Amino acid sequence: MYFNHAYQKTLINTGSGSNPGGVANFFTTAGAATTAIPAGRVAVVSSLNTTGIPGGLAANIVIDTSVALAKTIQQLPMIYLAQGSINTVDKLGPFAGGYQESVKTKGINPKYVSRFFRVDPSCPVNEIASVCLCEGAEAQCGTSYYLRIDVKGSPALRFLTHNAYRTYASNNICCPADPTASTAVDAMQIQASWAWQIARDPIMSNFILPVLTWNSGGGTTTFNVSAWYAANPTLTDVQLYATLTNADASDAVTDGTYEYTGNNFTSENQVYEAGVSTEACIKLVGSYVDTQFGTCSFHPQDFYELAPVKIYPSLTDQQGDPCVDQIFCTSYDEYGVQGSGYGHKLLRDAILFRRYMQEQYVYDPRLREVMNQDQVYNYIVGTSFYTTYGILHSVPRFNNPTSTFDNDQYLVTIVMPPAADCSGNSDVTTFETWMNAYLVAAGNGVQLEVLA
C-alpha cells in the first residue's frame, strides 16, 4: 500500500430505518442468487466457483451465516458482501439503467482481512454542574450573592459567535429590625433566585436547564424551574420559593408537575422545609438543542453537533472577583459527553458511497424526487442510533506493471438496524461467530473487536 487510507464502502442492512429496535438480521437464504436479496439487506456471497472439489460451492450464491461454518477454506476461499438495492426503479430516462442491481463489495479473501470490528452506539451525557451551600456555611441577610456562569463549546460559538457568560445576583434579603434576631437566611431563597433568573434569561435559558434539588428525608426531590417558569411567566422568584415551601399554596411539588427525572435523577416529590430539608442545590443541566433540517431540504453539508455544552459556574464578589471566600461550593455531577452512532454520519457516508457508484446526489429536492434519490432516508434516520460492523481487508495487485507488490485497502461498513435507544445495539451474534470461524479457518488471527 502506498498510503494508509482505505477505500470506504457503506452497505445498508437496516431493512427500514423507520423501524427502531427492529430485529437485526442478514439475508441468509442459502443458495439464493444476489437478485433475491431484499432492499436494504446484506448477504454474504460465495465469490469463486469451487464445485470441482468435494463440498465446493458455485459462485455468486448466498451463504447462510446463521448457522456454524461448515466449509473449509478450500471449499470457500473467498466471499463478498452484497446489498439489495434501495432504489425503487431500475431505469431513469431512456438510457440510464441498472439502478436496482445489488450493491457488491470487492472479493474478501479471509487471509487478507486485517480488522473485523463492531461499533456500538453510546449515549450522550448532559453536563451537570451543582452549586450547593458549603458544609458548615450559612447565608446572611443584607447580602447579595453573585453566580457567574460561563457556557463554552461549539453550541455557544455557533449560536452567539462567542462564548456566553452571565452573572446573576441574588435578591438582597432584608435583615430583621430586631438587632438580636438571627441574620441567617435560607440558602434555598438564594438558589431559587438564581434559578428563576436563568429560566427567564432569553439567551442562557437556551443552554442551561436550572433544577433545584433537596432532600426532605425520603430521598432527592427535583424541581424543574424552567418548566415552572414556562407555566407561570408572570410570577417572581419570591413566588417560586413560596411554591417550594408551601404545599397548600401549590401542589406543584407534591403532584410531580414540575419534577425533573432526567440524567438518572429520581424525584420523591417532597415539599422543601427550611431548616429541615438538606442537600439543597441548584443543578445547571446542559440542555442545548440545535436546529435540524428535515429530509426535504437535506444537504450533506448541513451541520450536525459533535460537541456538548460545557458549563463553568463560579461564585464572585460584586466586582466579579472569583478569588474570594464564598459560602457556596461548585462541583460536577456529570461531565458532558457527545453521543455516538447517530445516523447523521452514516447517512452522509451512504450518499458518498453511492456517488462513487455514479449515482449522483442532487441538492434540488424536486429533482432529487424525480431521480429517485430520496430512498436513502427510508433506511437511515439521522437522529437514530446504529450499530455498525467494519471489515478492513486488502486486495493485492499481483499484476502491477511496476513489478512492485502492491495492494489496495478497503473498509466495508455495514449499517445495522437502529437500536431501540442509545444504550442498545443491533449485533448479530451468529454472523460474528460465523465470521470469526471463517477467519480462523483461513489461518488469520484477526477476531471481532467491539468498540464504542
Side-chain angles (χ1 to χ4, degrees):
M1 290 174 291
Y2 295 119
F3 306 102
N4 62 357
H5 72 278
Y7 297 106
Q8 307 231 3
K9 295 178 177 288
T10 301
L11 302 183
I12 300 172
N13 191 40
T14 61
S16 172
S18 60
N19 181 30
V23 177
N25 194 11
F26 285 75
F27 181 70
T28 57
T29 303
T34 56
T35 54
I37 302 174
R41 296 282 295 280
V42 173
V44 176
V45 182
S46 60
S47 181
L48 301 176
N49 188 334
T50 59
T51 55
I53 63 175
L57 295 172
N60 303 315
I61 62 171
V62 173
I63 306 297
D64 185 359
T65 57
S66 65
V67 296
L69 176 68
K71 299 296 180 181
T72 65
I73 197 64
Q74 291 76 25
Q75 296 166 333
L76 187 61
M78 189 180 295
I79 61 173
Y80 64 87
L81 301 179
Q83 172 218 302
S85 173
I86 63 175
N87 295 320
T88 57
V89 295
D90 186 64
K91 195 173 182 180
L92 296 175
F95 304 108
Y99 288 101
Q100 286 191 303
E101 175 67 25
S102 59
V103 180
K104 303 175 180 69
T105 69
K106 290 278 190 177
I108 300 175
N109 188 326
K111 297 179 181 179
Y112 299 141
V113 173
S114 53
R115 289 190 72 186
F116 172 44
F117 58 90
R118 188 184 82 218
V119 182
D120 294 333
S122 62
C123 296
V125 178
N126 298 84
E127 181 119 324
I128 302 181
S130 294
V131 181
C132 310
L133 191 68
C134 299
E135 185 176 357
E138 62 179 18
Q140 298 293 316
C141 63
T143 301
S144 289
Y145 294 92
Y146 298 87
L147 173 65
R148 171 174 169 142
I149 303 176
D150 289 75
V151 175
K152 299 184 179 182
S154 168
L157 293 175
R158 281 180 51 79
F159 187 76
L160 300 168
T161 68
H162 59 79
N163 291 323
Y165 69 91
R166 187 66 58 87
T167 300
Y168 300 100
S170 67
N171 279 339
N172 189 336
I173 301 172
C174 296
C175 291
D178 183 358
T180 62
S182 173
T183 58
V185 297
D186 183 13
M188 182 58 82
Q189 290 180 271
I190 297 166
Q191 294 162 329
S193 178
W194 289 335
W196 175 77
Q197 293 178 69
I198 296 170
R200 67 193 298 268
D201 190 309
I203 293 179
M204 299 299 275
S205 60
N206 289 285
F207 298 99
I208 299 173
L209 178 74
V211 177
L212 296 173
T213 65
W214 63 87
N215 190 329
S216 295
T220 300
T221 297
T222 63
F223 189 88
N224 187 336
V225 178
S226 289
W228 177 88
Y229 178 76
N232 304 279
T234 61
L235 301 186
T236 67
D237 54 344
V238 175
Q239 291 161 309
L240 169 61
Y241 180 73
T243 300
L244 304 178
T245 57
N246 189 347
D248 294 331
S250 171
D251 291 332
V253 178
T254 54
D255 67 7
T257 304
Y258 303 116
E259 68 176 319
Y260 178 77
T261 56
N263 297 84
N264 298 320
F265 282 141
T266 58
S267 187
E268 297 298 329
N269 300 328
Q270 295 183 334
V271 174
Y272 177 80
E273 300 179 63
V276 176
S277 299
T278 60
E279 304 170 19
C281 297
I282 175 175
K283 307 283 186 179
L284 307 175
V285 182
S287 58
Y288 180 74
V289 178
D290 198 16
T291 300
Q292 298 288 337
F293 293 98
T295 56
C296 180
S297 60
F298 175 80
H299 193 294
Q301 294 178 347
D302 285 344
F303 177 83
Y304 60 98
E305 190 57 72
L306 296 174
V309 170
K310 305 299 290 184
I311 302 172
Y312 300 91
S314 58
L315 281 300
T316 72
D317 62 10
Q318 192 170 4
Q319 284 72 42
D321 183 6
C323 300
V324 294
D325 292 335
Q326 294 290 348
I327 66 169
F328 289 95
C329 297
T330 62
S331 61
Y332 286 90
D333 295 22
E334 295 177 348
Y335 290 101
V337 177
Q338 182 66 16
S340 65
Y342 286 106
H344 293 298
K345 178 182 182 300
L346 299 174
L347 181 60
R348 289 160 173 80
D349 289 346
I351 291 173
L352 178 61
F353 175 52
R354 287 162 64 86
R355 280 176 160 174
Y356 287 148
M357 297 193 301
Q358 305 305 309
E359 295 188 25
Q360 293 299 322
Y361 183 88
V362 295
Y363 301 139
D364 188 310
R366 292 169 296 180
L367 185 58
R368 203 163 61 213
E369 181 180 351
V370 170
M371 297 184 68
N372 196 41
Q373 293 182 344
D374 286 337
Q375 299 305 314
V376 67
Y377 306 131
N378 296 326
Y379 294 87
I380 300 178
V381 178
T383 54
S384 295
F385 292 89
Y386 294 86
T387 295
T388 58
Y389 283 104
I391 300 175
L392 184 65
H393 70 104
S394 300
V395 178
R397 292 184 183 180
F398 291 109
N399 60 342
N400 193 336
T402 63
S403 300
T404 302
F405 179 80
D406 185 25
N407 59 75
D408 295 321
Q409 189 170 231
Y410 291 85
L411 175 61
V412 180
T413 299
I414 308 169
V415 183
M416 303 303 292
D421 56 50
C422 57
S423 61
N425 62 46
S426 299
D427 62 307
V428 179
T429 305
T430 52
F431 168 71
E432 296 173 0
T433 302
W434 189 94
M435 192 66 188
N436 280 336
Y438 188 48
L439 295 173
V440 169
N444 191 336
V446 172
Q447 293 288 272
L448 177 73
E449 304 172 58
V450 179
L451 310 174

